[in-house]
Amino acid sequence: MKKVRLLALFLVVFNSGYHAQTKSLSKIESGVSYELAQFRKSTLSEIKYELSLKIPESKSERISGTEVLTFNYKKKDETSLLIDFKEDPASLLSVSVNGHTIKPVLENEHVVIDAKYLKSGSNQINFNFLAGNGALNRRDGYLYALFVPDRARTMFPCFDQPNLKANYSLTLTMPEKWSAISNGKLEDTFVQQGQKTLRFNQSDLLPTYLFSFAAGDFKNHTEKISQQDSRILYRETDSAKIKNSMDSIFTLYRNSLAYYERWTGIKHPFQKHGMAAIPDFQFGGMEHPGAILFQNSTLFLDKNATQNQLNNRSNLIAHEVAHLWFGDMVTMDWFNDVWMKEVFANFMADKSTGASSDKSIYDLKFLTTHFPAAYSVDRTLGANPIRQVLDNLQNAGMMYGPIIYNKAPIMMRQLELLIGEEDFRKGVNEYLAKYAYNNASWPDLITILDNHTPKDLQSWNKVWVNDPGRPVIDYDIKYKGNTIERFTISQKPEYGKEQKSWPQEFEISLFYTDRIEKVNVKLDGKQQDVSELKGKIRPLFILQNSSGIGYGVFKTDKTLLSNFSLVKDPINRASAYISLYENMLNGSEVKAQELLYFFAEQLPKETTELNLRLITGYSSSIYWNFLPESSRLKESGNMEDKLWKALQVQTAKNNKKIVFDGYQSIFQSQQAYDNLYTIWKSQIPPQGVSLNDEDFTNLALALSLRNSNNNDLLQEQLGRIKNPDRVNRFKIIMQAASSDQKVRDDFFNGLTQKQNRSNESAVGSAVSYLHHPLRQQTSVHYLSKTLDILQEIQKTGDIFFPDNWLRSTFSSYQDPKALDVVNQFLLKNPNYNAILKNKILQATDNLRRAQKLVK
C-alpha cells in the first residue's frame, strides 16, 4: 500500500515540475523563483564559468571582473534567457553573446538575453562587470566569498540555483603579499609590478553556492592530507594558540575524512583539500570543497580550552568534512531541502566523533548539544517544520535555524532506530551512489529507505519532518498495594487540537534507594500501556526519557528534586535537567525560583563538565528572564555566594572556568563588582581558573554594564588588545556597551545603514549588550525600529543574521511594554512574510512566557 502512495507522490511532483518547465515565464521576478529554476533546469546543461577578478588592496575600491560563461541550451521558443545578477545596472559594463556585442539589459536582478542571440547547442556569453561586494565580505587586509544560499548573483552573473552544477575556472590578480585559496588546485602564479596573479585549476562540478575563494594578508600552513599537500590560511596572531591547535585541526580533519570514507564506501569526492580560518566569521564554517571556511575562534584554542570548546571544534570540523559527501557531492535539488545536507552533516559528525569516544560520552554530547537548541524553537508559537515550502531562493536564508541543525539530527537518529542501523546505512549509501555529483530531494531518499524497511515511513515522515512542534508525554500510574498495577503513557501535541503522535523510542527509569529499574519503550500511538512495569515495586520517583533519546516535554516527578542524589549517571542527570527546565517553562508545579534554587544546589555537586555548563546556562536564563527584577536584586547576593563557593569546591579547571563564567554572568552587588574589577585590573584570575585575552575582554564588557561611567575601562581594555581583527571587533561592541546613552543611540541608529552591519558576528554580540537586562529601561525604545528594518536586514544580510538580530534583541526581555511593541507590529503587518513572522515569534518566546511566569 505504501508503494502506491509513493508512486502517487512521484506523479504529483513530476507533473507539477513538467508544467512549470513548459510554461512560458510571464514576468521577470526578483530573486530566483521556483518556476524560473525549473525552466532553466530543463533547458541548460554543461555549464562552465571562467572568471578573472582584479582585487585592489583597499576595500573601498571596486573589484573588476571578466567572465566567460558557456553552456548547452535547448532552445524551445522565443523566451528570453535570464541570468541572475543582483547589482546596480552600472556594474554591468558589457555583454556579448556568441560573438555579438549587445546592449546590457538588467531587469529586476536578471541580465536579459534575447532569444534571437541564442541557439540550440553550445553558447558563449562574455561579461565585463564590477563585482558586487555584498557576498565578498571585504575587511581590512582580506576578503572571502560566501555565496550561500543565493548570493553568488550579487558578485557575478550566473545561474544561481543548486541544481545547475557547473565547473569554475578562477584567476585572481591581487597585492603581491596576499595569499589565496579556491575550490580548484593552484595551477600558476605570476608576480609583476607589485601584483600577484593566481590561476586555479578548473573546479569539480559544483552549484554556485559552493564556489568560493578567500584572499588576503594570510599566513599559510601546509600539511599532508591523503598524501596531498593541503593548506590552511589564517590570521591568528596568538603563537600559543597556533602551536596548540594546528596539529589538532589537521588530525581531526584526517580522522573525519577516514571515517566517512569507510562509512560511505566512497573515497573523498573532490580534487583537493584546503581551509581558511576567518576572523569574525558569521557562521561556524562553510563547506566549499577545497576551500572550507572556518570560524577562527573555534579552531584556535589555547591549552586551557574547556571540553565544550574542544567538542565544538571537533564537531565543526567533522560537520564540514561530512558535507563533502552530503551536500557537496549530492546536493539538494531545491533549497526547501537545505536541511538534508545539514542534518546529515550534524548526524554524521556526531557519528564520527562518537566513534573515537565512549558511547556514554557521545550520547551525553548529543543530548546536551541538540535537544535544548531544538526545543528553543520547537516550543514556540513560531515553530517551523524541518522541511519547509520555498517559492523563491531569495527567501532561502530564512529556512536555517535550530530546527534543521538540531531537531533534524534527533529525527534522523529516531529514523535509524526505526529502520535499524545497518539497513539505514545501506539505504543512505545507495542514495549517495545513485545521485553522486548530481541533485536529489528528500522524497528521493525516503523512497530508497522505504525499500529497506517494512515500516510505514510516509506517516512517520509527516509528523517528524513535515509538521512542526513536539509532543507532551505524560504518564499515569496505578498501584495495587505497594506494586504497580498499570503504567500508561500518553502523548499529545504541545499546541493545537490535531490528534497525532510521534513514533519514537525512549527509556523509563524507576529509582530506588539501592537500584534502578529500566525499561525501553517504543511509543507508537496516542496512548499505550507499559506492561513490563506491571508488578514492579513502588519507586521513590520515576524519570521519563532517562537515556535522553526521546523528543518532547516529558512529565517530571517533583520528588526527583529531593532525591536527586540517587541519579548517578550523567546522561540521566542531563535528561532530568532538560525536562525540569522545559516543564518549568510550560508552567508545571516546579516554579522558576524553586528550580533556580535546585540548580544552584547542584553547582558544587555536578562534576560532569557538559552538565555543569547546561545548568549554569539554565540558571542564568531563569535569573534574568523569569525572576521579577525585585526578586533578582534579592537573590543576587545568594546566587553570587553559591557560585563563588562552587568555584572553590570544583576541582577540575574546566569546571572552575564554567562556574566563574556563571558568576560573571549574573553578578549585581558592589562586592562582586569590586572582586571582578580587581581580577580584571590585575589580570590575575582566581586560583585554579585560567583566563585568556578574550576572557578578560568579556570580563571588561560585563563590568562595563555595571559601571555608570565606563569609558576609561573600555578604553583601557581596547589598549590591551593586540590582534588587529579583535581590535576592530571590540570597537564595534564597545559602542553598544558604553554607559553614554548618546553613544548607544548613535550606534543603534547607525545600524540602519547596511555598511555598519557588515561584520555581522560583532554586530550580533553588540546588540546583545545593547539589550542586556541591566540596560533595557533605556533600550526598549529601540525595539520598534528593530522590527521595522528586519525585512531589509533579511535581504542584505547572511542567512543567520535575521535570527541573530532578533534573538540578541528580544531574548532577555520580560517587560510587558516590549511584548506590546511586538504585538502591535504584528497587528499592523497582517501580511508580513510568514517565515520572518515565525522568526519573530521564536525570538520573543521567552518574553511571552515571562508574562505568566514572572510573578
Side-chain angles (χ1 to χ4, degrees):
M1 190 67 172
K2 64 181 177 180
K3 299 299 185 293
V4 173
R5 285 198 298 271
L6 283 170
L7 177 61
L9 175 64
F10 171 78
L11 291 173
V12 169
V13 172
F14 176 83
N15 287 330
S16 63
Y18 175 79
H19 288 305
Q21 291 169 14
T22 56
K23 178 183 175 183
S24 294
L25 298 169
S26 56
K27 63 177 181 177
I28 299 178
E29 297 180 43
S30 62
V32 179
S33 68
Y34 181 75
E35 180 184 0
L36 172 61
Q38 292 293 90
F39 178 80
R40 293 196 305 207
K41 178 62 178 174
S42 71
T43 57
L44 296 167
S45 62
E46 297 184 40
I47 302 167
K48 296 183 186 297
Y49 299 91
E50 294 180 32
L51 281 164
S52 295
L53 300 174
K54 187 172 183 180
I55 304 173
E57 185 166 9
S58 172
K59 66 181 182 181
S60 62
E61 295 181 44
R62 294 292 296 272
I63 294 173
S64 59
T66 63
E67 174 185 346
V68 181
L69 169 60
T70 59
F71 54 89
N72 274 356
Y73 188 53
K74 294 179 183 178
K75 187 174 181 180
K76 295 180 178 179
D77 52 31
E78 295 308 305
T79 300
S80 297
L81 178 64
L82 303 184
I83 302 172
D84 312 321
F85 191 44
K86 188 182 178 182
E87 254 301 316
D88 187 278
S91 297
L92 190 60
L93 305 179
S94 69
V95 181
S96 67
V97 184
N98 294 323
H100 299 283
T101 300
I102 66 172
K103 180 181 178 181
V105 177
L106 188 59
E107 184 177 341
N108 231 4
E109 303 176 355
H110 300 284
V111 182
V112 182
I113 307 296
D114 195 293
K116 66 184 179 183
Y117 298 112
L118 300 167
K119 58 186 178 180
S120 290
S122 180
N123 289 261
Q124 177 176 306
I125 303 179
N126 293 62
F127 298 97
N128 286 300
F129 64 96
L130 297 176
N133 285 329
L136 287 183
N137 297 279
R138 299 180 72 182
R139 308 281 173 82
D140 291 330
Y142 68 101
L143 61 81
Y144 57 95
L146 190 60
F147 295 147
V148 64
D150 67 327
R151 304 191 76 201
R153 63 195 179 97
T154 69
M155 199 279 276
F156 67 103
C158 59
F159 301 114
D160 204 2
Q161 60 190 74
N163 59 1
L164 287 178
K165 291 190 172 184
N167 301 109
Y168 301 81
S169 299
L170 177 66
T171 300
L172 298 177
T173 300
M174 57 192 190
E176 183 177 353
K177 64 180 179 179
W178 282 22
S179 300
I181 195 169
S182 189
N183 307 98
K185 293 180 179 179
L186 181 60
E187 194 169 311
D188 293 304
T189 302
F190 306 96
V191 177
Q192 187 177 14
Q193 297 179 340
Q195 294 288 298
K196 180 190 292 182
T197 298
L198 304 181
R199 189 157 60 88
F200 295 92
N201 191 29
Q202 179 177 279
S203 75
D204 303 286
L205 274 177
L206 299 172
T208 45
Y209 82 88
L210 288 175
F211 167 55
S212 186
F213 57 92
D217 190 6
F218 287 99
K219 299 173 186 176
N220 288 259
H221 179 85
T222 302
E223 289 194 20
K224 294 282 187 184
I225 299 177
S226 299
Q227 306 309 310
Q228 293 181 9
D229 283 339
S230 304
R231 283 191 306 154
I232 181 172
L233 304 185
Y234 64 98
R235 285 173 60 84
E236 179 58 62
T237 57
D238 188 324
S239 58
K241 285 184 178 180
I242 295 168
K243 183 178 180 181
N244 188 65
S245 301
M246 201 63 79
D247 285 348
S248 296
I249 292 167
F250 279 86
T251 297
L252 288 166
Y253 191 106
R254 292 188 199 99
N255 290 346
S256 297
L257 189 72
Y259 180 86
Y260 301 137
E261 287 183 338
R262 288 195 305 271
W263 198 92
T264 64
I266 300 172
K267 289 292 186 182
H268 173 245
F270 296 96
Q271 64 182 264
K272 66 180 280 275
H273 303 278
M275 298 175 271
I278 306 297
D280 282 333
F281 191 47
Q282 54 266 60
F283 305 169
M286 185 59 207
E287 64 267 19
H288 315 115
I292 300 177
L293 304 184
F294 288 103
Q295 188 179 70
N296 180 86
S297 60
T298 307
L299 285 195
F300 290 103
L301 304 174
D302 61 28
K303 64 180 181 180
N304 297 310
T306 66
Q307 188 60 49
N308 190 63
Q309 289 174 308
L310 295 171
N311 285 345
N312 286 343
R313 179 170 67 185
S314 62
N315 282 354
L316 174 60
I317 293 173
H319 177 105
E320 302 307 334
V321 175
H323 271 308
L324 296 171
W325 286 262
F326 300 96
D328 295 2
M329 186 185 77
V330 179
T331 306
M332 66 273 171
D333 192 69
W334 185 240
F335 260 90
N336 63 326
D337 279 328
V338 64
W339 69 274
M340 284 181 68
K341 73 183 185 73
E342 300 304 337
V343 64
F344 271 112
N346 263 355
F347 183 70
M348 295 305 298
D350 290 325
K351 276 185 171 295
S352 72
T353 56
S356 60
S357 64
D358 182 271
K359 186 178 185 302
S360 63
I361 296 173
Y362 159 74
D363 287 342
L364 180 63
K365 188 172 73 168
F366 191 97
L367 174 60
T368 58
T369 298
H370 293 306
F371 283 76
Y375 291 162
S376 73
V377 172
D378 224 17
R379 73 166 81 101
T380 76
L381 295 173
N384 57 271
I386 292 174
R387 192 171 198 237
Q388 302 178 69
V389 175
L390 179 66
D391 60 341
N392 191 304
L393 281 179
Q394 66 186 354
N395 297 320
M398 294 187 288
M399 310 190 87
Y400 290 77
I403 293 298
I404 69 171
Y405 283 99
N406 301 109
K407 182 181 179 180
I410 298 167
M411 172 277 295
M412 196 63 80
R413 187 162 70 164
Q414 287 287 340
L415 181 58
E416 184 183 48
L417 288 169
L418 183 72
I419 296 173
E421 188 171 352
E422 189 54 35
D423 284 333
F424 177 82
R425 178 177 174 175
K426 287 178 182 177
V428 172
N429 288 351
E430 181 182 330
Y431 159 83
L432 289 173
K434 181 176 181 178
Y435 294 103
Y437 303 101
N438 213 318
N439 299 81
S441 67
W442 174 244
D444 292 328
L445 175 58
I446 282 289
T447 299
I448 290 173
L449 291 176
D450 200 60
N451 292 324
H452 289 267
T453 179
K455 303 291 185 181
D456 181 3
L457 294 190
Q458 295 306 308
S459 58
W460 185 95
N461 181 66
K462 179 184 182 301
V463 70
W464 275 103
V465 178
N466 294 338
D467 288 350
R470 58 184 184 169
V472 176
I473 299 176
D474 203 347
Y475 67 85
D476 181 65
I477 186 167
K478 288 185 170 55
Y479 292 101
K480 186 175 183 179
N482 199 38
T483 61
I484 296 174
E485 182 178 33
R486 186 177 184 186
F487 193 103
T488 306
I489 302 174
S490 61
Q491 62 170 318
K492 63 179 181 180
E494 189 168 12
Y495 297 115
K497 297 180 180 179
E498 182 184 356
Q499 295 298 308
K500 59 181 178 180
S501 59
W502 284 253
Q504 60 175 309
E505 289 189 27
F506 59 89
E507 182 184 81
I508 295 176
S509 291
L510 280 59
F511 282 79
Y512 303 88
T513 55
D514 58 346
R515 69 190 188 281
I516 304 171
E517 301 276 357
K518 300 178 180 179
V519 62
N520 192 57
V521 176
K522 293 186 177 182
L523 181 59
D524 188 11
K526 301 178 185 66
Q527 182 174 305
Q528 71 185 56
D529 289 342
V530 183
S531 58
E532 297 92 332
L533 294 179
K534 185 176 181 179
K536 297 283 187 185
I537 301 297
R538 182 192 296 263
L540 288 172
F541 64 92
I542 293 167
L543 181 59
Q544 286 201 105
N545 196 30
S546 49
S547 64
I549 293 175
Y551 186 80
V553 185
F554 290 87
K555 175 185 175 180
T556 51
D557 188 335
K558 192 173 182 180
T559 56
L560 165 70
L561 299 182
S562 55
N563 292 283
F564 200 75
S565 61
L566 296 174
V567 187
K568 306 294 186 184
D569 183 81
I571 295 173
N572 291 173
R573 294 200 302 275
S575 182
Y577 294 146
I578 293 169
S579 289
L580 285 165
Y581 184 77
E582 294 301 321
N583 277 277
M584 180 275 294
L585 291 179
N586 277 3
S588 73
E589 59 186 43
V590 179
K591 304 305 179 188
Q593 193 152 344
E594 184 180 8
L595 188 56
L596 181 63
Y597 289 159
F598 169 72
F599 286 147
E601 291 299 322
Q602 291 303 119
L603 289 171
K605 302 173 185 176
E606 180 56 73
T607 56
T608 302
E609 184 180 326
L610 293 178
N611 283 349
L612 188 62
R613 181 171 296 278
L614 184 68
I615 61 173
T616 53
Y618 282 157
S619 296
S620 180
S621 176
I622 295 171
Y623 181 82
W624 290 115
N625 300 337
F626 304 117
L627 291 187
E629 185 176 0
S630 58
S631 296
R632 284 206 304 267
L633 291 171
K634 292 177 183 177
E635 293 295 335
S636 62
N638 180 47
M639 286 299 297
E640 290 165 10
D641 184 57
K642 287 184 179 297
L643 280 158
W644 195 258
K645 286 181 179 177
L647 180 63
Q648 316 310 312
V649 171
Q650 291 284 352
T651 56
K653 66 176 184 178
N654 287 355
N655 287 0
K656 283 182 171 292
K657 175 66 164 51
I658 291 168
V659 174
F660 180 78
D661 288 344
Y663 180 85
Q664 179 181 307
S665 169
I666 62 94
F667 80 96
Q668 285 189 264
S669 72
Q670 185 63 46
Q671 180 180 355
Y673 180 93
D674 293 341
N675 183 24
L676 289 173
Y677 182 84
T678 300
I679 291 169
W680 172 78
K681 188 71 174 178
S682 66
Q683 294 193 281
I684 301 174
Q687 186 175 1
V689 177
S690 297
L691 300 179
N692 59 28
D693 290 344
E694 287 107 314
D695 293 322
F696 280 110
T697 297
N698 291 334
L699 179 54
L701 290 166
L703 290 166
S704 72
L705 292 171
R706 282 91 168 166
N707 188 323
S708 60
N709 187 12
N710 65 22
N711 183 63
D712 290 346
L713 187 156
L714 290 170
Q715 289 297 330
E716 183 174 344
Q717 181 58 40
L718 178 63
R720 292 180 178 183
I721 303 171
K722 305 305 179 188
N723 180 286
D725 299 316
R726 288 194 275 273
V727 167
N728 290 335
R729 177 183 177 85
F730 190 75
K731 284 181 177 178
I732 294 170
I733 296 173
M734 66 187 290
Q735 299 173 71
S738 173
S739 55
D740 188 327
Q741 179 72 48
K742 185 178 185 305
V743 172
R744 300 202 301 274
D745 287 346
D746 290 344
F747 171 73
F748 176 78
N749 291 333
L751 295 180
T752 60
Q753 302 299 313
K754 174 186 171 183
Q755 64 269 22
N756 294 326
R757 303 191 300 265
S758 61
N759 189 335
E760 293 178 353
S761 172
V763 168
S765 295
V767 170
S768 67
Y769 284 103
L770 198 67
H771 292 280
H772 189 278
L774 294 174
R775 291 279 175 79
Q776 286 175 2
Q777 287 187 346
T778 57
S779 297
V780 69
H781 69 280
Y782 302 139
L783 298 183
S784 292
K785 189 65 175 177
T786 293
L787 294 172
D788 288 341
I789 64 174
L790 178 59
Q791 284 186 312
E792 197 265 335
I793 280 176
Q794 185 270 321
K795 291 176 182 177
T796 60
D798 269 310
I799 54 180
F800 298 112
F801 192 52
D803 188 62
N804 188 5
W805 173 258
L806 288 168
R807 289 184 180 272
S808 296
T809 298
F810 285 102
S811 60
S812 291
Y813 272 91
Q814 56 177 232
D815 189 341
K817 294 177 184 176
L819 185 58
D820 287 343
V821 170
V822 176
N823 290 339
Q824 288 301 313
F825 177 84
L826 294 176
L827 282 173
K828 291 177 182 176
N829 296 276
N831 300 316
Y832 200 68
N833 179 286
I835 303 178
L836 272 186
K837 179 182 177 181
N838 281 341
K839 296 287 185 188
I840 294 171
L841 292 173
Q842 292 165 18
T844 58
D845 186 67
N846 280 350
L847 173 59
R848 293 178 185 279
R849 291 178 190 272
Q851 309 313 304
K852 296 180 179 178
L853 297 176
V854 178
K855 302 294 183 183

